[in-house]
């Protein structure tokens, strides 16, 4: 039997694929099979990444690590390793120690550089302004410019009042089904 | 809007217009967004999934940009409808399974679609015809801002948008460009091109996204990295890569025409001939032959029909489209007959 793809070499690898609810048999030569598996690897890159991570980070495979649990959604680190998906946005904080190296491996970075949701952008800007004012205040005090310092302190107080209070904690959800 | 209305409508992204539309079929941007604290779709129970869907439906209803959209809950659609939406690239293959609290929001022009409770709570996508990622970005960015006013998105200042899968964390953005590269395939250079792409940490996929194979010389190129670069940086990177691929494909086309003109002409004319005359044709053969016809149009060898009609044929000859057009379930053999009929009809009419 000749290879279905190149039609030149003898087929030595036999695969069954399901497309459109229909089973298709593929008979491939070694060369074409290699190519096919390369495509598959590209598609299933994450599973490999996770598996790879498990291998060379043996020390974190300790029991307590695997039992680490997100307080919000109850997903354990072990669950995450198994399904490759996090349970909720708070998992990022719960598993931070282990997620950071993973994100670094996937993206080459752990620092977001893109846009922000409008609401958060506003609070983030306020927080930044506040930080700047505090630095100014510190400098004014060090330079013994007390009048200036008092002015800045009033500005900070005014700003703090307009700060959006932190959102009340949301109702805890039930265990997933 | 009724789903059947789409049947006689040519999607915006198939119009064959826009920059470099002889090589680039479409440009697509998708954003992954989640609601803060609510469990991600795969980890939520029925009630939680429903709450998320309700919240998003409500938000969508308030947004002007999304006025002309229709929401379809997947539980209300039969399997044919679902496959139909997948074939039109309005939702992913994975979204069609396990329909619990899932929905898809579609606009009349089929530019915007929003999947609810796919891998993430929100998967928003905007499609444009031709090589036009920035236009897609401008549209999706505005819709995203509107959604962010109505909903509290899961976001952290250091990691960015938080997604179910860490491969999407950060911008939550994937830009994809669908390319038609027949000449690179024919002259045997496609392997090198694809290898180069994967080294640059971009991925290539088939016509129907993740897990599908490249057929008919169509390749979808997307960014892999979503964290550490801004959206515009990512788009510029993709654009740079696409420009290079376009140039290589153009060179390959020139090579073909200068060195193997009669072979190419023969292949293209035969493909056109078969399509115009066949009475039974499989989906696979259709894709391959249409691909050659599309090349023939770009090279000026076929003038009777335009690339927009060919683009459309790729979609309407898919199984669910055929069955919707015929308004009944068709066996694989019956589909092959119906498919040939539609193609003959379209190609001989012009
Ligand atoms: Zn072979
Ligand atoms: Zn969690």
């Amino acid at each position: 039997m000749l290879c279905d793809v190149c039609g030149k070499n003898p087929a030595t690898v036999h695969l069954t694929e399901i497309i459109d609810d229909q089973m298709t048999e593929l008979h491939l030569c070694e060369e074409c099979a290699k190519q096919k598996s390369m495509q598959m690897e590209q598609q299933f890159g994450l599973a490999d990444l996770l598996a790879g991570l498990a291998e060379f980070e043996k020390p974190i495979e300790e029991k307590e690590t695997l039992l680490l649990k997100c307080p919000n959604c109850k997903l354990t680190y072990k669950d995450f390793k198994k399904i490759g998906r996090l349970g909720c946005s708070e998992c990022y904080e719960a598993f931070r120690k282990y997620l950071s190296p993973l994100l670094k491996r996937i993206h080459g970075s752990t620092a977001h550089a893109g846009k922000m949701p409008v609401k958060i952008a506003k609070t983030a800007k306020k927080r930044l302004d506040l930080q700047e004012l505090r630095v100014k205040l510190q400098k004014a005090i060090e330079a013994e410019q007390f009048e200036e310092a008092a002015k800045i302190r009033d500005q900070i107080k005014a700003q703090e009042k307009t700060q959006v209070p932190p959102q009340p904690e949301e109702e805890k959800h039930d265990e997933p089904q | 809007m009724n789903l059947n209305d789409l049947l006689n409508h040519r999607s915006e992204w198939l119009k064959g217009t826009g920059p470099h539309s002889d090589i680039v079929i479409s440009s697509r941007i998708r954003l992954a967004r989640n609601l803060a604290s609510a469990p991600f779709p795969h980890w939520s129970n029925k009630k939680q999934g429903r709450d998320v869907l309700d919240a998003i439906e409500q938000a969508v209803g308030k947004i002007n940009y999304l006025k002309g959209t229709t929401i379809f809950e997947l539980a209300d659609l039969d399997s044919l409808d679902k496959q139909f939406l997948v074939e039109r690239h309005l939702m992913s293959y994975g979204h069609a399974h396990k329909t619990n609290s899932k929905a898809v929001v579609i606009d009349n022009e089929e530019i915007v679609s929003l999947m609810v409770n796919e891998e993430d709570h929100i998967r928003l996508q905007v499609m444009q015809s031709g090589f036009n990622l920035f236009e897609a970005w401008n549209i999706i960015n505005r819709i995203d801002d509107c959604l962010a006013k109505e909903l509290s998105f899961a976001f952290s200042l250091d990691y960015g948008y938080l997604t179910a899968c860490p491969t999407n964390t950060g911008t939550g953005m994937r830009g994809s460009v669908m390319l038609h590269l027949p000449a690179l395939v024919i002259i045997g250079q496609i392997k090198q091109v694809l290898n180069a792409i994967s080294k640059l940490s971009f991925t290539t996929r088939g016509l129907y996204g993740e897990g599908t194979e490249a057929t008919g010389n169509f390749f979808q190129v997307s960014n892999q990295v979503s964290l550490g670069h801004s959206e515009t940086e990512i788009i510029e990177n993709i654009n740079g890569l696409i420009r290079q691929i376009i140039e290589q494909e153009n060179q390959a086309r020139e090579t073909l025409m200068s060195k193997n003109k009669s072979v190419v002409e023969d292949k293209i004319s035969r493909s056109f001939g078969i399509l115009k005359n066949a009475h039974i044709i499989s989906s696979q053969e259709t894709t391959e032959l249409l691909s050659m016809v599309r090349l023939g149009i770009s090279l000026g060898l076929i003038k009777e029909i335009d690339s927009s009609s060919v683009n459309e044929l790729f979609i309407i000859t898919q199984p669910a489209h055929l069955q919707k057009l015929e308004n009944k379930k068709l066996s694989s053999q019956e589909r092959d007959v119906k498919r040939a009929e539609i193609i003959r009809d379209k190609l001989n009419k012009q």
Side-chain angles (χ1 to χ4, degrees):
Chain A
M1 187 189 293
L2 288 178
C3 168
D4 289 341
V5 174
C6 64
K8 285 181 208 146
N9 308 325
T12 52
V13 180
H14 308 280
L15 290 173
T16 311
E17 261 194 326
I18 297 171
I19 301 168
D20 255 17
D21 293 335
Q22 279 177 24
M23 276 217 315
T24 324
E25 295 214 334
L26 264 181
H27 309 284
L28 306 172
C29 70
E30 222 159 299
E31 175 66 15
C32 294
K34 239 185 236 161
Q35 277 224 329
K36 180 126 189 111
S37 76
M38 257 168 56
Q39 287 174 359
M40 309 260 275
E41 260 171 49
Q42 280 194 353
Q43 289 155 5
F44 300 110
L46 179 70
D48 293 345
L49 260 170
L50 288 170
L53 198 70
E55 263 170 44
F56 83 73
E57 283 178 16
K58 278 269 147 59
I60 68 161
E61 286 292 276
E62 287 157 14
K63 257 193 186 156
E64 44 191 302
T65 307
L66 292 174
L67 291 178
L68 205 65
K69 197 187 252 184
C70 168
N72 183 51
C73 77
K74 316 286 187 258
L75 181 105
T76 63
Y77 191 70
K78 195 178 169 193
D79 293 327
F80 168 62
K81 288 235 141 178
K82 202 169 71 196
I83 51 189
R85 301 282 183 278
L86 295 154
C88 76
S89 51
E90 290 174 30
C91 288
Y92 278 86
E93 205 46 55
F95 308 138
R96 186 179 195 92
K97 203 168 145 197
Y98 308 105
L99 272 179
S100 273
L102 178 65
L103 288 168
K104 179 96 185 164
R105 262 187 72 161
I106 298 172
H107 301 282
S109 164
T110 53
H112 179 57
K115 71 180 285 192
M116 289 181 194
V118 214
K119 291 185 224 166
I120 291 174
K122 275 184 197 151
T123 24
K125 171 138 196 336
K126 269 189 191 157
R127 206 177 302 156
L128 222 67
D129 291 347
L130 212 63
Q131 252 171 22
E132 255 170 53
L133 282 175
R134 289 206 182 100
V135 173
K136 265 193 188 169
L137 176 67
Q138 198 57 44
K139 278 187 183 154
I141 292 172
E142 275 163 22
E144 300 189 356
Q145 296 168 333
F146 298 113
E147 218 171 296
E148 177 69 14
K151 226 188 267 171
I152 298 171
R153 195 198 50 218
D154 290 346
Q155 279 176 4
I156 291 176
K157 271 192 186 153
Q159 275 252 9
E160 274 170 344
K161 261 184 211 157
T162 64
Q163 268 290 51
V164 189
Q167 290 197 342
E169 237 183 80
E170 282 195 30
E171 224 178 287
K172 292 288 177 260
H173 298 267
D174 321 327
E175 287 274 346
Q177 66 209 131
Chain B
M1 175 179 62
N2 189 295
L3 266 195
N4 289 330
D5 296 344
L6 295 178
L7 209 48
N8 298 309
H9 176 260
R10 193 173 287 177
S11 322
E12 178 64 30
W13 63 275
L14 287 174
K15 291 207 167 133
T17 54
H20 296 285
S21 54
D22 53 335
I23 294 175
V24 182
I25 311 275
S26 62
S27 302
R28 182 179 69 116
I29 298 218
R30 76 105 164 102
L31 294 176
R33 298 288 185 257
N34 288 286
L35 307 192
S37 303
F40 295 141
H42 76 94
W43 198 243
S44 60
N45 63 31
K46 253 189 179 168
K47 162 136 196 337
Q48 293 163 333
R50 186 72 236 178
D51 289 348
V52 166
L53 176 55
D54 289 344
I56 294 171
E57 275 193 30
Q58 219 175 32
V60 166
K62 285 188 197 157
I63 294 171
N64 264 336
Y65 274 108
L66 301 175
K67 275 270 154 65
T69 60
T70 312
I71 298 181
F72 298 99
E73 291 200 16
L74 290 220
D76 302 337
L77 300 180
D78 62 25
S79 62
L80 196 61
D81 285 336
K82 283 182 269 187
Q83 202 188 335
F84 175 75
L85 289 171
V86 174
E87 287 175 5
R88 293 185 85 78
H89 294 240
L90 291 169
M91 73 183 198
S92 65
Y93 183 73
H95 201 48
H97 296 276
K98 286 226 247 155
T99 53
N100 214 347
S101 297
K102 289 180 183 218
V104 58
V105 181
I106 298 163
D107 83 308
N108 291 335
E109 295 308 310
E110 297 177 75
I111 296 172
V112 182
S113 93
L114 187 158
M115 287 185 276
V116 183
N117 283 329
E118 207 239 24
E119 185 180 291
D120 295 295
H121 294 144
I122 293 178
R123 284 285 177 99
L124 181 62
Q125 88 166 21
V126 167
M127 293 243 264
Q128 289 286 297
S129 185
F131 184 26
N132 225 343
L133 277 178
F134 269 114
E135 185 53 30
W137 166 247
N138 286 337
I139 299 171
I140 207 166
N141 188 25
R142 266 176 256 156
I143 300 173
D144 176 49
D145 281 344
C146 296
L147 285 168
K149 276 179 201 146
E150 305 297 335
L151 301 161
S152 278
F153 284 155
F155 181 87
S156 101
L157 285 172
D158 41 3
Y159 294 152
Y161 292 93
L162 305 174
T163 53
C165 181
T167 53
N168 295 310
T169 313
T171 55
M173 186 183 88
R174 185 134 299 151
S176 309
V177 175
M178 188 143 47
L179 297 153
H180 185 223
L181 307 173
L184 281 170
V185 174
I186 295 171
I187 69 166
Q189 276 185 11
I190 194 69
K191 237 201 249 174
Q192 287 155 265
V193 174
L194 295 185
N195 280 341
I197 292 172
S198 63
K199 282 201 188 93
L200 292 166
S201 77
F202 290 88
T203 51
T204 46
R205 303 191 169 102
L207 206 48
Y208 283 92
E210 208 152 343
T212 66
E213 253 194 279
T215 52
N217 311 315
F218 289 103
F219 300 88
Q220 193 169 275
V221 177
S222 327
N223 62 300
Q224 230 172 355
V225 166
S226 56
L227 180 62
H229 298 273
S230 71
E231 292 83 356
T232 40
E233 275 171 0
I234 294 172
I235 293 170
E236 266 159 16
N237 285 337
I238 306 174
N239 281 353
L241 179 66
I242 299 294
R243 267 183 231 115
Q244 285 178 36
I245 301 174
I246 290 174
E247 195 175 312
Q248 288 178 8
E249 171 67 16
N250 275 328
Q251 272 170 14
R253 288 180 185 191
E254 269 169 40
T255 309
L256 276 182
M257 285 304 270
S258 62
K259 295 206 179 123
N260 297 306
K261 186 157 190 248
S262 41
V263 178
V264 177
E265 277 179 337
D266 180 66
K267 211 170 171 179
I268 289 169
S269 303
R270 278 169 188 271
S271 303
F272 199 29
I274 293 174
L275 288 169
K276 281 204 283 195
N277 293 290
H279 280 253
I280 298 173
I281 194 163
S282 71
S283 150
Q284 171 92 12
E285 189 181 5
T286 302
T287 310
E288 276 159 22
L289 298 178
L290 279 175
S291 169
M292 292 315 296
V293 170
R294 208 178 176 278
L295 176 64
I297 297 169
S298 310
L299 295 175
L301 299 172
I302 294 177
K303 297 193 175 79
E304 300 98 295
I305 91 163
D306 58 12
S307 63
S308 168
S309 308
V310 174
N311 289 350
E312 193 186 22
L313 272 177
F314 280 109
I315 304 301
I316 64 173
T317 55
Q318 304 279 330
H321 275 75
L322 292 174
Q323 296 175 69
K324 283 226 153 223
L325 284 166
E326 195 71 354
N327 205 9
K328 67 171 190 209
K329 224 173 158 46
L330 299 174
S331 70
S332 169
Q333 285 83 357
E334 290 169 324
R335 289 203 299 263
D336 290 353
V337 172
K338 177 73 185 167
R339 181 178 296 116
E341 184 192 314
I342 288 176
I343 297 169
R344 281 199 318 275
D345 201 46
K346 281 259 173 191
L347 297 186
N348 290 314
K349 201 163 55 185
Q350 255 102 6

